[in-house]
């Protein structure tokens, strides 16, 4: 006698039957979020440039009984961002949840900065997120209209730097304030069609994010961070999981989540 198929517990896997796409999933918050959404039952497309990391993550999700698709893409290139969304929909047939998380932080004064660093941040933190949103929007709206949950989610990962200007990171601040404005404008457009747009603003999280900075900036960050118990990537993933598992009539529009020790 064959054993019966395991019965999914809808309370533990509320995203069963849904498809999620996470950008910047090769490390940090994106990787933790992909794992969290897969554990909740979603089929997950993981998007970033480092294909080896994505393959390892997809393997981990599949080994745990989930389904994952690794999509190598540089989302600062509009065509690649669009192709990543298209491949996800071709593979899994739909798209219910997008976590636009890929981002870059290069700190330093405005005067005398290398403006190439500004272009890298704006290209990824602002335009990459916008391209992803634009490509995903019709699929998310279709999922909200026709899916069994009748709701879809776009989660934009901003930062406390999108709420508070401390000085010393003006263009990173500007890029994250842009995410807030873009997200709020898009929320107004689509919320009556049950596409929820949520902004997550983490404080200091222990990830690879500082590594793009000069040794001097990294040292100053280490000093500042040594006074705090930092968030873990899983803490932010947990916040995102909370947002996307609310009932259809509940939209968590904004979450500022900082280490308890972090003052600003
Ligand atoms: P990581 O550096 O670990 O993650 C950044 C991710 O973005 C990586 O997966 C990277 O993958 C991806 N990425 C970079 N460039 C591109 C690109 N051109 N195309 C596609 N993907 C790209 O840092 P975090 O996890 O900390 O950062 C995630 C988000 O969280 C960012 O938006 C960041 O601003 C935000 N944040 C982080 C905080 C922190 O303290 N860590 C605090 C507040 C906000 P790859 O290099 O393989 O492409």
């Amino acid at each position: 006698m064959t054993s019966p198929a395991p019965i999914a517990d809808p309370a533990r896997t509320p995203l069963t039957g849904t498809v999620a796409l996470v950008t910047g999933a090769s490390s940090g918050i994106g990787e933790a979020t992909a794992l969290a959404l897969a554990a909740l039952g979603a089929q997950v497309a993981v998007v970033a440039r480092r294909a080896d990391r994505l393959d390892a993550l997809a393997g981990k999700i599949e080994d745990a009984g989930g389904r994952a698709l690794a999509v190598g893409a540089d989302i600062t290139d509009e065509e690649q961002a669009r192709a990543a969304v298209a491949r996800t929909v071709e593979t899994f047939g739909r798209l219910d949840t997008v976590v636009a998380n890929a981002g870059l932080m290069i700190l330093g004064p405005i005067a005398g900065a290398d403006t190439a660093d500004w272009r890298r941040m704006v290209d990824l933190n602002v335009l990459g997120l916008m391209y992803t949103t634009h490509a995903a929007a019709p699929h998310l709206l279709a999922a909200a209209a026709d899916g069994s949950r009748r709701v879809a989610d776009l989660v934009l990962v901003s930062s406390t730097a999108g709420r508070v200007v401390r000085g010393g990171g003006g263009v990173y601040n500007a890029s994250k304030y842009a995410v807030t404005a873009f997200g709020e404008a898009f929320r107004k457009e689509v919320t009556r069609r049950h596409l929820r747009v949520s902004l997550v603003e983490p404080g200091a999280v222990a990830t690879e994010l500082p590594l793009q900075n000069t040794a001097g900036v990294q040292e100053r960050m280490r000093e500042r961070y040594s006074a705090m118990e930092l968030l873990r990537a899983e803490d932010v993933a947990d916040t995102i999981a909370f947002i996307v598992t609310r009932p259809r009539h509940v939209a968590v529009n904004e979450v500022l989540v900082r280490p308890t020790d972090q003052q600003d």
Side-chain angles (χ1 to χ4, degrees), residues 24 26-27 29 49-50 74-75 101 158 172 176 202-203 205 207:
S26 59
S27 58
I29 295 168
R49 295 167 305 173
R50 287 171 292 178
D74 177 345
I75 64 159
N101 159 78
S158 176
Y172 183 65
K176 293 301 190 180
V205 190
T207 69

Side-chain angles (χ1 to χ4, degrees), residues 158 162-163 175-185 199 201 254:
S158 176
R163 284 270 298 248
S175 75
K176 293 301 190 180
Y177 273 75
V179 171
T180 303
F182 177 75
E184 179 59 7
L199 194 69
E201 301 159 318
E254 188 174 5

Side-chain angles (χ1 to χ4, degrees), residues 11 21 48 68 75 101 104 142 145 154 177 181 190 197:
L21 179 151
I75 64 159
N101 159 78
L104 174 68
L154 172 68
Y177 273 75
V190 295
V197 179

Side-chain angles (χ1 to χ4, degrees), residues 89-103:
V89 176
E90 276 159 29
T91 305
F92 293 135
R94 53 184 301 110
L95 184 58
D96 304 87
T97 307
V98 169
V99 182
N101 159 78

Side-chain angles (χ1 to χ4, degrees), residues 22-196:
V22 181
T23 69
S26 59
S27 58
I29 295 168
E31 180 179 11
T33 300
L35 287 166
L37 299 184
L40 290 166
Q43 302 173 82
V44 186
V46 290
V47 181
R49 295 167 305 173
R50 287 171 292 178
D52 54 337
R53 298 251 198 138
L54 296 178
D55 288 341
L57 173 61
K60 195 169 168 184
I61 290 171
E62 302 242 334
D63 287 349
R67 275 197 76 197
L69 173 72
V71 185
D74 177 345
I75 64 159
T76 64
D77 177 319
E78 183 174 356
E79 284 315 308
Q80 292 189 42
R82 201 164 291 290
V85 170
R87 230 186 109 199
T88 304
V89 176
E90 276 159 29
T91 305
F92 293 135
R94 53 184 301 110
L95 184 58
D96 304 87
T97 307
V98 169
V99 182
N101 159 78
L104 174 68
M105 177 186 73
I106 304 174
L107 301 179
I110 292 170
D114 180 348
T115 56
D117 290 340
W118 297 359
R119 276 185 288 280
R120 288 179 65 203
M121 278 190 283
V122 172
D123 280 352
L124 180 61
N125 302 1
V126 184
L127 283 172
L129 175 142
M130 290 176 174
Y131 298 147
T132 306
T133 299
H134 186 262
H139 304 291
L140 292 171
L141 286 166
D146 306 330
S148 57
R149 297 168 73 230
R150 305 284 311 282
V151 70
D153 285 287
L154 172 68
V155 180
L156 305 177
V157 178
S158 176
S159 169
T160 48
R163 284 270 298 248
V164 180
V165 176
R166 299 175 59 243
V171 176
Y172 183 65
N173 282 125
S175 75
K176 293 301 190 180
Y177 273 75
V179 171
T180 303
F182 177 75
E184 179 59 7
F186 190 52
R187 187 191 69 76
K188 286 186 179 359
E189 275 179 43
V190 295
T191 197
R192 292 228 169 115
R193 294 160 77 185
H194 286 93
L195 170 50
R196 300 183 291 207

Side-chain angles (χ1 to χ4, degrees), residues 15 18 35 81 87 112 122 151 190 203-204 212 229 232 248-249 260:
L15 300 183
T18 72
L35 287 166
R87 230 186 109 199
V122 172
V151 70
V190 295
Q212 303 288 332
E229 183 180 350
R232 296 180 310 265
R248 181 173 184 259
H249 67 287
T260 308

